[in-house]
Amino acid sequence: MHRAKRVPERTCKTRVAYSGGGTGASTSSGEQRHRVLATHRELADCHPEKGTGSIDMGRRANLTLLAAACVLSAAGPAAAQGSGAAHGRGWSGELWPRGGMAESNAGGTTGAGLLDGAFTYGFGNGITAKAEAEGNTLLGGTGSGGRLQAWWQDPALGLVGIKAETARREGLWQRRYILHGEVYLGPFTLRGQSGYVPNDRTSTNTVEGGFFGLASGGYYPLDTLGLNLGGATQAGQGVGFGNVEWAPGYLPPGTSLTLDGGAGPDGFLIGLVGVRFAFGPGAGTTVRGRQTGSAPGFPALVGGACGDTRLPALPASLRTTN
């Protein structure tokens, strides 16, 4: 008898890198400089050149994030064990002012301000509905956005939900239709989103549609503290983001301090500090509960936050009027 030799297990680590291309033909990041949150005049002069650089790493990054987002959003509460904090029963409101700095190659360095408001209603049977709105100003422009969503949650396992959101900025109208999932593993929350961004044609430009995906993780060592990191991809470009939320005991109930940051292609950086006010009988009693159904740190309602999702302006002869 011969004993089979035990083969040591190998661990394969995949390095993720975001692609720099987002429109038209495949190009290398060194040959094509897409602009983030550009103005109409800048877009009219934007003519990406063809290149031959490899985009293998970008494709791997998008496929990796796509797979993670689809698995998490589809798994929902069916594949986890642990404890999570639920949104309370009844109505609640939220006001969240934030301020800081933003930077990009196209827009330079400017101040940034965001103001969010939300209304949530928990029906008491695991079903919750939420409506949100935001106004923002950064990189020399202003914008606004909104979101409607609903989800079903088992506080011990996770949730599944759907959402529709829209954002307008400098003539760009961006829409997303998304499936959202959360899995609770003890003090950790794993989040995934997968959805579709429709093409949108206006009199001056076209929004490039396609797949949207997001994957993030949160750690909640205390009821008063949440730490989150994640990444998202849209139209071949991506953004990384993070969030810290803390509700110290010396602040009134439902009040917390926040720190958000993000980084994307073409030198896009954003950093924000804020104060979040949650009120009403249905307001969550923990930071984790108040972050239910969201992707903390992701600037979802800032048009173009995932990179330059707007194609160059159409020639006048090709523009159509409705």
Side-chain angles (χ1 to χ4, degrees), residues 17-21 25-32 50-61 236:
Y18 287 106
S19 168
S26 301
T27 63
S28 65
S29 59
E31 295 171 351
Q32 179 176 335
K50 293 184 179 181
T52 58
S54 172
I55 58 171
D56 287 343
M57 292 302 293
R59 288 175 176 171
R60 291 171 186 167

Side-chain angles (χ1 to χ4, degrees), residues 253-282:
T255 305
S256 55
L257 307 176
T258 65
L259 175 64
D260 297 279
D266 256 356
F268 175 67
L269 297 170
I270 188 170
L272 301 165
V273 294
V275 182
R276 177 147 70 165
F277 304 94
F279 49 89

Side-chain angles (χ1 to χ4, degrees), residues 209-220:
F211 170 78
F212 168 80
L214 179 149
S216 70
Y219 174 53
Y220 301 89

Side-chain angles (χ1 to χ4, degrees), residues 17-77:
Y18 287 106
S19 168
T23 62
S26 301
T27 63
S28 65
S29 59
E31 295 171 351
Q32 179 176 335
R33 302 298 299 171
H34 284 291
R35 300 183 178 185
V36 180
L37 305 177
T39 62
H40 289 297
R41 181 174 298 176
E42 291 172 324
L43 287 166
D45 297 331
C46 178
H47 299 287
E49 299 178 356
K50 293 184 179 181
T52 58
S54 172
I55 58 171
D56 287 343
M57 292 302 293
R59 288 175 176 171
R60 291 171 186 167
N62 290 335
L63 289 173
T64 301
L65 191 52
L66 184 152
C70 290
V71 169
L72 289 176
S73 60

